[in-house]
Amino acid sequence: MEQRSPPERPRENALSAGLLARVFHQPSLIYFNAVATHLSIREAARRLNIASSAVTRQVAQLEDALGIALFLREKRRLRLSPAGEILFRHARRLTAPMEAAVSEIELLRGLRSGAVRIGAAESVGLSFLPRLITDFGKRYPRLNIDVSVISSAEVIERLLDERIDIGFGFIAKPPRQIDIAFRRDVPIGVVMTSDHPLAGLRKLTMQQCLEHPLAVAKPEISIREVIEPFLRQSATILPPLVEVDSIRMLVELALGGHYASIMTPIGAQGEVESGRLVFRPLDDGGLPTNRFGIMLRAGTPLHLAPAIFFDHAKSYFDNLVLPGAI
């Protein structure tokens, strides 16, 4: 039987584009890049943690597929051929995006320090923010989170002064230096126990609320500015009110059963979900909704840790159902 001699390497003509695509998605291109970078089969094998023979075989396969030598072998030294120079230049462009992605992932995995400074209105801090922070802390346990529970007005002030990175609060007309990255409109209404006299009314107005013991926020809480004209419009002389500077106090007063509290459902989210309180929106004509938003400083890129938290918060709120949200 006539013995066939092995085919000459590399072949005279390159493979078809389709077959070449299959070759380039094999380890051969990775091994070629390593050899081209270090100009040494042995060093490439050491970096890749594989046998030198495997590197040699993969590079030979690539040369065969292209039909041209990629390296010039001079005694014990290697250098790229003109074809190798061309391939190496383009191969680096192909692998650069993946290397950048891996680098960023490694940066996240190895992140040992970093702080996220958050300012949040009290109602946000009482409702979904603890869950958001807990979920984030489990995923990124090495990041420090600094939370300030403040008024919505102060959230904006601290963003402008660069004392916080991300703000959660209610805002009607943001200054141009503030970006609203996420917004959701929620109605203003009344929270109360299910057996409260107002709970059974299908349509509820401010005038009807003022006929019962009522708890409202003080002017330093943003919702008071919204409801003040409607309080005055509904009664020439306001009856005695309980005025507090705490959303939590409004919730607690409502839980007592004697008072109904005017507020948005945010801040009483847990109590509404559990059925301990009910929420009824006010049906007064012209009463605006209250706009909740995640706020950032306009034109100021976030550092890595705040950027990670912001992306997490954005994803969280995209899938969150806010009680009474419009």
Side-chain angles (χ1 to χ4, degrees):
M1 181 181 294
E2 183 179 352
Q3 188 173 5
R4 295 182 181 180
S5 58
E8 293 185 6
R9 301 293 178 134
R11 66 178 64 239
E12 291 185 2
N13 299 303
L15 297 175
S16 68
L19 290 175
L20 275 174
R22 294 180 61 185
V23 172
F24 280 125
H25 283 85
Q26 299 300 317
S28 54
L29 188 59
I30 298 172
Y31 295 177
F32 165 77
N33 276 348
V35 176
T37 299
H38 303 290
L39 293 178
S40 167
I41 298 250
R42 180 177 296 177
E43 180 62 17
R46 188 183 73 81
R47 297 293 183 105
L48 295 168
N49 195 29
I50 57 171
S52 296
S53 59
V55 176
T56 301
R57 184 169 58 252
Q58 291 292 339
V59 171
Q61 177 183 332
L62 188 56
E63 288 180 320
D64 178 52
L66 289 168
I68 195 167
L70 299 172
F71 294 96
L72 300 177
R73 295 158 178 85
E74 299 174 344
K75 296 183 179 179
R76 294 187 177 182
R77 300 185 60 185
L78 286 180
R79 66 183 178 91
L80 285 165
S81 69
E85 293 278 4
I86 293 171
L87 180 60
F88 189 40
R89 184 170 65 250
H90 288 281
R92 280 180 294 182
R93 293 175 185 170
L94 288 172
T95 58
M98 182 58 68
E99 289 174 354
V102 171
S103 176
E104 290 187 24
I105 291 169
E106 287 298 316
L107 182 61
L108 286 182
R109 178 163 35 203
L111 197 63
R112 298 185 180 277
S113 63
V116 186
R117 300 171 301 168
I118 301 167
E122 185 189 10
S123 58
V124 180
L126 290 171
S127 51
F128 43 75
L129 192 57
R131 299 180 193 176
L132 169 60
I133 291 175
T134 299
D135 187 33
F136 180 80
K138 289 178 179 177
R139 296 189 183 189
Y140 305 101
R142 293 173 179 169
L143 293 181
N144 183 61
I145 305 173
D146 183 317
V147 182
S148 297
V149 179
I150 49 184
S151 68
S152 291
E154 192 170 353
V155 168
I156 295 171
E157 290 178 11
R158 293 196 186 189
L159 277 172
L160 295 176
D161 294 341
E162 300 188 7
R163 287 182 286 160
I164 60 174
D165 304 301
I166 301 171
F168 297 86
F170 295 89
I171 185 168
K173 296 180 180 179
R176 59 183 179 81
Q177 303 98 319
I178 297 294
D179 279 339
I180 308 297
F182 172 93
R183 63 185 65 197
R184 191 77 65 83
D185 289 340
V186 291
I188 296 171
V190 183
V191 294
M192 57 205 141
T193 55
S194 59
D195 59 353
H196 191 280
L198 294 172
L201 299 179
R202 296 186 62 182
K203 290 191 176 182
L204 190 57
T205 65
M206 189 73 75
Q207 178 63 54
Q208 290 169 315
C209 292
L210 290 170
E211 296 172 2
H212 298 266
L214 199 62
V216 297
K218 285 186 175 181
E220 50 263 42
I221 297 180
S222 61
I223 192 174
R224 180 59 181 264
E225 181 182 353
V226 177
I227 67 172
E228 183 66 23
F230 295 87
L231 285 171
R232 299 291 174 184
Q233 177 182 326
S234 299
T236 306
I237 301 177
L238 287 177
L241 302 172
V242 176
E243 299 180 86
V244 301
D245 60 0
S246 165
I247 296 294
R248 186 64 219 175
M249 180 61 76
L250 289 176
V251 174
E252 291 294 334
L253 288 170
L255 285 169
H258 181 65
Y259 290 97
S261 295
I262 297 182
M263 55 186 291
T264 71
I266 296 179
Q269 183 177 345
E271 288 77 8
V272 172
E273 289 178 351
S274 67
R276 296 176 66 200
L277 292 176
V278 296
F279 173 79
R280 297 286 184 267
L282 286 169
D283 198 42
D284 293 78
L287 182 68
T289 56
N290 215 15
R291 174 159 292 176
F292 163 77
I294 304 177
M295 294 172 273
L296 304 171
R297 284 187 301 277
T300 304
L302 291 171
H303 295 300
L304 179 60
I308 296 170
F309 183 86
F310 172 74
D311 288 342
H312 180 81
K314 184 71 167 56
S315 176
Y316 182 88
F317 282 108
D318 282 341
N319 299 296
L320 180 68
V321 177
L322 298 178
I326 298 175

